[in-house]
Amino acid sequence: MFNTKKIILVAGITAVFAGLSACNEKLTSNVTPIMDGEYASNYVEIIKANDGKYLDSKVIEAILGKGATHGRDGLQGKLDPKNPYSFEVDDSIDGGNHGNSQCKVPMAFTRVQDSAAKNYKNDATFVAKGFGTPIAEAALEKWNITVDGDGKGLPDSSVGMTVEEGGAVYVQFCAMCHGEFGEGAKGYLALAVDEDLIASDPKDPAPMKSVGNYWPYSATLFDYIRRTMPFWTPNADYIGDKGYLGITGYIMQANYIPIGFDEDGESMELEDDTFYNAEVLMKQNKFMKNQGNFFCDHRPIIHNERCMKDCPDTMVGDGSGDIHNFVEARKLPDGTPQYNVPQRLNEAPPGVGHTGM
Amino acid sequence: MTDKIIEKVAIQTDESRNQSRRAFLKGGAAVASGVLFTQAASASDIKFNPKKAVAPYANKKEITDVLADQKSRKALGFGVRKYPYGLPSPFEREVQRRTLEWLTPDSMASITMSPLQSLHGIITPNGLHFERFHGGVPTIDPDKHRLVIHGLVERPLIFTMDDLKRFPSVSRIHFVECPANGALEWKGVQLNSVQWTHGMMSCVEYTGVRLSDLLKEAGIKPEGKWIIPEGADASGMSRSIPLELAMDDCFVAYAQNGEALRREQGYPIRLVVPGCEANMWVKYLRRIMVHDVPMQHREETSKYTELMPDGTAQRFSWYMEANSVITYPSPDFHMQGPGKYYVRGIAWSGRGKVDHVDVSTDGGKNWQEAHFTSAVLDKAWTRFEFEWDWDGKEAFLMSRVTDETGYVQPPMPQMRNLEGTNNVYHRTAMVTWRIHDWNNGKDGGRIQNVQY
């Protein structure tokens, strides 16, 4: 599921390491790595013997080895749950093509793990102080509006409205900022654009992310709309779960998210008279286009040496050793620097290299 | 690092003690009736040569007219309690947080940057703390505010502010950084100020209750693996935080820099997640739900995920990487002529303490280690300083941090090659200040933000 990702990162990592051989330091530890599987099983000892420097490139090499398949050069190793540097754990829920991947704090972050163990798992003596007041879960119903990526917390399937009715609610409360068809307005986020997520030129504006091309879970799209919208009066009683489901249905329809596939493999889409409820929403949770394209944080993937003198060209200036090949802010004809002119003239949506905050 | 510093200081103290003892014996001090005193050193012992010391002032023109007394010397100033809550001098009015109006369509879901170029030391004053809102700033009555811990716990609990303040307290200095800090610079340089390039962060002392104490108070069930903090503001901010991270060093803060939190920073309480994305530091905290899986909410899927060049996206990027920036001289200043400069800046790491900061004046070819002028604290700003003799020629100033985990801050081309330019978040590579040649006409001595 990470094929493209792997290739890109491996290429990148190889490039990074190619330029670093100039500076060389010895691993300070005398602990011998025990490579009894893919990774050194005594990684904790290795890290501790090196004063906790778990991101030092030599420490990482001692733990992960040098091999092309599971060493530093092969970053796919990071996506293996057994790797002590991995942020990934097994998918826990059937939420679609990638499930609800549970990222974690890597085991190699020994300081975090030790501290958490001390404060929690190994704290056998803790006794509550009794300063708070017990409250019944039922008393929290009004506050508990949380829906998870798996759909836990959604309203009962008797609640809902047709997609067409949902469209009417959307036009009344959402369209003035997001456009009647989700195209965006007044600088607010578009909800239904189908841009490619890969910009061909790095200088091009970043691709616009919206529901169809980016959001991984329909269940939490509903959570977000009910939680925060309409912007000036969020979580409105007069819209209610019924109205919020209707709005969600209309946005899903505008993004052509299927509700399933027929016998010929043709996608089945929302009709105007489809009664949109939690059940339909959860069918679509499996067909969110971008769901499989997320992966857990794997930084830092950059492991440089602390070079002090005559550093290799790859680390100097523009990466070829040229310190005069730099980029300046673009200039207006009168010579003053040009800062986001399209944004300032309201010709482009606002944003920090992407749209919407 | 701190240990080393303490050790060094200890050695120095011993040495100076021995020195003074030797001087004492050598000076042949009198011991009379049990009273000890030392003789003043004779004039010949002074090594200081005043003529030589002031040599750099030779040939500089003397001021010859008598200075007029200023008004402040000839009239009384204002009395006590003119300002029951003190304000900065009006001459400091330019020191303020700023925003770029074209960044966001409104001011309720927007951001301001701290004026790093005007800050000293490692503490950001409360009034200059950067702001980031997703639904405007609520004004919450602390008497009516409650914090609830529920979900996969043995005993759901509700706390008043008084309840929270009754718990053992913890005070710690930490930086808080929006992961979009530096986002303007992914596709090239934009603005000539360190306020715009790095101002989406601040560093203050927080006081509050350990989150682990509160969670244990409610008794986490074994199947509880994540906590979901939620705000009481219009955005109802919610993020998923794994239990290891929550139990490490998080706390629920009610104070910043010795006073109650400011409304802009989450009054009456906010979560502090040291070293991690500021978006996780949920403000106006009113509910912590313990859950078995992450929520996959909007702020950890649609936003705060990093788009890679191949169209995949990185999520749950909790920790802020080690980073550093030179705040003087920075593009906010102009060089004052060739000669000695004390290059200053801040370095920080979301993974612990800063180990070294190195400064390059030649675009990264050669580096020299800077020294620290502040305390070196865990997940906090650290001030560094570096003595530099500027020859007046064009120079390219950069700083590079190494943190205690061994991570070395990368140059921008390396980060861009791996992560592309559509990423938005976590742009933590080095920046470059180009110092224009002093003899370069009207540009002479200008400091410019450039990018490799």
Side-chain angles (χ1 to χ4, degrees):
Chain A
M1 70 187 80
F2 294 111
N3 286 342
T4 4
K5 186 72 210 163
K6 278 180 195 170
I7 291 160
I8 290 226
L9 291 175
V10 171
I13 282 290
T14 315
V16 171
F17 275 80
L20 294 179
S21 42
C23 295
N24 227 338
E25 261 180 79
K26 286 242 164 64
L27 185 65
T28 50
S29 106
N30 295 319
V31 180
T32 317
I34 305 167
M35 308 296 280
D36 50 0
E38 282 186 318
Y39 313 108
S41 55
N42 58 337
Y43 66 89
V44 176
E45 283 169 55
I46 296 173
I47 292 166
K48 286 189 175 152
N50 284 281
D51 301 329
K53 297 203 181 309
Y54 59 82
L55 295 181
D56 186 282
S57 47
K58 294 285 177 285
V59 176
I60 291 174
E61 198 175 281
I63 293 170
L64 299 187
K66 277 184 186 172
T69 48
H70 58 268
R72 279 299 310 151
D73 297 350
L75 195 73
Q76 59 267 60
K78 286 220 148 188
L79 306 174
D80 174 353
K82 293 194 292 296
N83 179 335
Y85 283 91
S86 175
F87 282 85
E88 303 268 331
V89 299
D90 295 327
D91 294 351
S92 59
I93 310 169
D94 173 25
N97 45 6
H98 188 204
N100 186 349
S101 157
Q102 289 200 48
C103 306
K104 63 169 185 187
V105 177
M107 298 310 289
F109 292 12
T110 46
R111 217 170 292 136
V112 180
Q113 299 291 353
D114 288 353
S115 157
K118 178 175 156 279
N119 292 335
Y120 174 46
K121 287 180 192 140
N122 299 341
D123 186 1
T125 56
F126 183 88
V127 178
K129 297 184 177 56
F131 296 164
T133 309
I135 184 168
E137 209 46 75
L140 282 167
E141 254 171 44
K142 195 160 171 58
W143 276 16
N144 189 3
I145 54 163
T146 303
V147 179
D148 71 12
D150 214 31
K152 224 181 280 170
L154 281 171
D156 186 87
S157 56
S158 65
V159 180
M161 57 171 67
T162 66
V163 172
E164 194 174 10
E165 286 165 338
V169 182
Y170 175 91
V171 167
Q172 192 180 348
F173 295 109
C174 320
M176 70 291 272
C177 294
H178 295 291
E180 282 199 33
F181 305 99
E183 70 276 19
K186 293 192 293 197
Y188 288 94
L189 289 167
L191 303 176
V193 290
D194 196 17
E195 275 186 24
D196 194 337
L197 290 175
I198 304 168
S200 49
D201 186 326
K203 295 276 173 203
D204 284 348
M208 207 180 279
K209 304 168 191 166
S210 76
V211 174
N213 70 347
Y214 201 76
W215 278 73
Y217 301 94
S218 63
T220 56
L221 173 66
F222 170 79
D223 173 281
Y224 182 68
I225 299 171
R226 184 173 67 168
R227 178 182 293 275
T228 63
M229 293 293 147
F231 187 51
W232 64 94
T233 161
N235 194 223
D237 288 341
Y238 53 80
I239 294 177
D241 287 352
K242 190 177 159 176
Y244 282 114
L245 274 161
I247 294 171
T248 310
Y250 179 75
I251 296 168
M252 297 296 275
Q253 188 193 41
N255 280 286
Y256 305 101
I257 311 287
I259 51 171
F261 292 86
D262 64 18
E263 292 136 15
D264 304 327
E266 295 290 315
S267 70
M268 297 188 292
E269 280 172 13
L270 287 172
E271 303 293 340
D272 286 350
D273 61 357
T274 308
F275 183 75
Y276 202 81
N277 60 6
E279 215 171 284
V280 183
L281 178 85
M282 284 314 290
K283 275 186 192 166
Q284 292 183 305
N285 207 35
K286 291 179 189 291
F287 301 118
M288 299 298 278
K289 203 159 72 176
N290 201 40
Q291 199 172 83
N293 283 335
F294 287 87
F295 62 97
C296 291
D297 175 23
H298 60 277
R299 288 166 313 133
I301 52 173
I302 294 169
H303 295 276
N304 291 344
E305 299 287 350
R306 183 175 165 235
C307 169
M308 297 303 283
K309 263 182 88 69
D310 297 322
C311 298
D313 283 351
T314 48
M315 305 303 286
V316 178
D318 62 356
S320 73
D322 185 351
I323 65 164
H324 290 100
N325 184 25
F326 50 79
V327 183
E328 298 174 79
R330 280 174 294 178
K331 296 220 170 78
L332 295 171
D334 67 356
T336 53
Q338 167 190 300
Y339 303 137
N340 292 58
V341 171
Q343 275 90 352
R344 290 154 82 193
L345 297 177
N346 292 321
E347 284 169 4
V352 275
H354 70 134
T355 45
M357 299 280 280
Chain B
M1 192 65 218
T2 342
D3 289 350
K4 275 183 215 154
I5 290 173
I6 291 169
E7 206 177 283
K8 226 182 208 172
V9 170
I11 290 166
Q12 279 170 353
T13 318
D14 274 339
E15 268 174 14
S16 46
R17 200 177 294 133
N18 291 340
Q19 270 169 10
S20 51
R21 194 165 157 267
R22 276 196 296 275
F24 173 66
L25 294 171
K26 202 172 144 197
V31 182
S33 323
V35 178
L36 292 174
F37 62 94
T38 54
Q39 262 179 353
S42 63
S44 61
D45 284 348
I46 296 176
K47 302 268 165 50
F48 174 73
N49 180 345
K51 284 212 174 85
K52 203 173 149 196
V54 300
Y57 287 97
N59 304 324
K60 280 198 178 173
K61 210 174 166 240
E62 254 175 1
I63 294 172
T64 50
D65 42 342
V66 177
L67 300 176
D69 261 340
Q70 305 220 350
K71 198 178 143 201
S72 61
R73 182 68 190 88
K74 292 292 180 193
L76 284 175
F78 63 73
V80 296
R81 260 187 79 80
K82 161 99 167 164
Y83 303 104
Y85 194 99
L87 294 169
S89 161
F91 294 100
E92 297 293 316
R93 65 175 164 262
E94 288 303 313
V95 180
Q96 46 178 265
R97 42 193 182 207
R98 292 189 164 83
T99 190
L100 299 160
E101 68 281 1
W102 44 262
L103 276 181
T104 56
D106 62 63
S107 62
M108 282 80 70
S110 192
I111 190 157
T112 57
M113 289 77 148
S114 281
L116 303 190
Q117 69 277 13
S118 311
L119 298 185
H120 306 277
I122 59 170
I123 299 290
T124 310
N126 288 340
L128 296 174
H129 194 296
F130 88 101
E131 306 163 288
R132 171 72 175 108
F133 317 140
H134 290 76
V137 176
T139 299
I140 293 171
D141 178 351
D143 289 344
K144 291 182 184 147
H145 191 75
R146 296 289 182 274
L147 173 66
V148 165
I149 299 178
H150 75 118
L152 295 172
V153 296
E154 291 298 333
R155 173 45 80 201
L157 293 174
I158 184 164
F159 299 99
T160 63
M161 289 297 294
D162 284 346
D163 291 338
L164 293 175
K165 287 179 180 169
R166 206 173 152 191
F167 279 93
S169 67
V170 52
S171 291
R172 298 189 60 174
I173 296 170
H174 287 301
F175 76 84
V176 49
E177 184 179 19
C178 173
N181 199 14
L184 287 159
E185 309 268 306
W186 272 111
K187 287 183 186 285
V189 279
Q190 299 240 18
L191 296 158
N192 277 312
S193 167
V194 73
Q195 184 162 13
W196 303 130
T197 59
H198 291 79
M200 296 184 193
M201 63 164 172
S202 297
C203 183
V204 306
E205 185 202 59
Y206 298 96
T207 302
V209 194
R210 264 182 224 93
L211 182 59
S212 56
D213 283 354
L214 294 178
L215 291 173
K216 283 186 286 189
E217 193 78 11
I220 308 278
K221 287 183 178 169
E223 58 269 35
K225 302 276 189 235
W226 294 76
I227 64 152
I228 292 79
E230 184 184 277
D233 62 331
S235 74
M237 179 57 63
S238 64
R239 284 282 302 244
S240 309
I241 298 176
L243 210 52
E244 289 80 21
L245 220 162
M247 292 292 188
D248 175 10
D249 55 358
C250 295
F251 54 103
V252 174
Y254 42 76
Q256 69 186 63
N257 289 341
E259 61 179 358
L261 294 181
R262 291 287 170 93
R263 284 173 296 174
E264 296 93 317
Q265 276 79 48
Y267 183 86
I269 45 172
R270 86 173 306 168
L271 191 62
V272 171
V273 190
C276 293
E277 297 186 334
N279 183 253
M280 298 159 75
W281 300 41
V282 172
K283 299 189 283 186
Y284 325 106
L285 184 68
R286 78 165 187 181
R287 185 163 75 103
I288 296 172
M289 185 176 175
V290 181
H291 206 54
D292 54 349
V293 292
M295 288 297 174
Q296 308 288 0
H297 276 178
R298 187 251 197 185
E299 308 293 347
E300 54 204 15
T301 55
S302 167
K303 300 289 163 188
Y304 302 96
T305 50
E306 298 146 62
L307 186 56
M308 294 288 151
D310 68 345
T312 60
Q314 180 164 285
R315 65 172 153 194
F316 294 117
S317 318
W318 300 306
Y319 291 97
M320 296 307 299
E321 304 277 75
N323 202 342
S324 67
V325 65
I326 292 167
T327 56
Y328 171 86
S330 67
D332 307 87
F333 300 92
H334 199 276
M335 299 303 274
Q336 294 165 264
K340 206 178 275 299
Y341 285 85
Y342 294 88
V343 175
R344 291 180 199 118
I346 40 180
W348 64 101
S349 169
R351 298 178 194 279
K353 288 178 191 144
V354 167
D355 240 6
H356 311 278
V357 177
D358 305 309
V359 172
S360 171
T361 59
D362 60 2
K365 185 92 187 148
N366 296 289
W367 297 85
Q368 280 173 279
E369 182 156 8
H371 65 275
F372 299 132
T373 58
S374 73
V376 180
L377 302 172
D378 195 35
K379 302 169 186 178
W381 283 357
T382 304
R383 262 294 150 183
F384 65 85
E385 199 166 277
F386 169 73
E387 188 181 325
W388 179 42
D389 284 306
W390 184 43
D391 58 7
K393 298 267 167 22
E394 183 179 55
F396 295 91
L397 276 188
M398 302 165 88
S399 65
R400 180 188 66 189
V401 61
T402 304
D403 74 11
E404 64 174 331
T405 67
Y407 175 78
V408 183
Q409 190 183 2
M412 190 60 202
Q414 188 184 20
M415 181 165 272
R416 198 169 44 224
N417 285 345
L418 289 169
E419 304 197 13
T421 60
N422 296 331
N423 193 311
V424 180
Y425 306 101
H426 293 265
R427 201 207 59 74
T428 55
M430 301 176 218
V431 291
T432 308
W433 305 148
R434 174 193 185 197
I435 315 278
H436 286 251
D437 193 310
W438 183 249
N439 295 315
N440 185 21
K442 68 174 169 50
D443 269 346
R446 183 157 76 90
I447 305 160
Q448 185 191 9
N449 178 17
V450 297
Q451 191 179 95
Y452 288 121

